Amino acid sequence: MMRSLTVRAVPRAALWLGLLAALACNPESRKTEAAQDTVQRFFEALPGGDCAVLGTLLIGKAADTCRATVDEMNAHSFSLVEVLDAKVDGRDPNAVVVRARVARDGQVHEQPLLLRVEHHSDGWKLRL
């Protein structure tokens, strides 16, 4: 009797482990985690104003005009309070919309800021 319980329990355990592994390897969760990490790295580096670092995290005009973008954000003391969540953009599978709470001029904004982070050949980049 004990042997039959053990034999049935092993396939169930394998099924659960397989399901957990599949969920952990979800490409959507990897994208959202990478996008959230990009937002956090950007805001961590922002006070230092180093465009050698910040420029690699930006795309579009913001990357070309990094100094002006960083100076303006630092003039208003922009800071990340928390990342609320992130979702893959339904229009573009290589883009993630990150909802973040930010502070500006020392005041935490109640409405979250929506930040678009896009995957490029050289990594995830923030579009401001």
Side-chain angles (χ1 to χ4, degrees):
M1 175 88 172
M2 187 62 145
R3 178 158 163 61
S4 67
L5 286 176
T6 305
V7 171
R8 276 189 251 153
V10 171
R12 277 194 202 138
L15 176 66
W16 280 107
L17 287 174
L19 180 61
L20 289 173
L23 290 173
C25 294
N26 179 349
E28 193 164 299
S29 69
R30 282 195 302 253
K31 289 178 183 180
T32 57
E33 288 172 13
Q36 290 177 36
D37 180 58
T38 299
V39 168
Q40 289 175 337
R41 285 186 298 135
F42 175 80
F43 278 97
E44 286 170 2
L46 183 60
D50 185 359
C51 280
V53 173
L54 292 163
T56 64
L57 299 172
L58 297 172
I59 54 174
K61 283 193 333 188
D64 297 336
T65 60
C66 178
R67 176 58 39 216
T69 301
V70 167
D71 287 348
E72 183 175 342
M73 291 181 84
N74 280 334
H76 293 286
S77 302
F78 265 91
S79 63
L80 179 67
V81 175
E82 67 179 319
V83 171
L84 300 171
D85 61 24
K87 293 183 180 168
V88 174
D89 187 334
R91 300 165 295 176
D92 181 355
N94 289 316
V96 174
V97 177
V98 177
R99 281 186 344 120
R101 189 164 321 284
V102 298
R104 179 178 176 185
D105 294 323
Q107 300 254 317
V108 176
H109 286 253
E110 288 301 314
Q111 291 295 333
L113 185 63
L114 299 178
L115 300 165
R116 182 178 171 91
V117 184
E118 301 173 2
H119 186 258
H120 292 264
S121 60
D122 55 343
W124 288 89
K125 296 182 178 279
L126 180 61
R127 182 178 294 277
L128 294 176

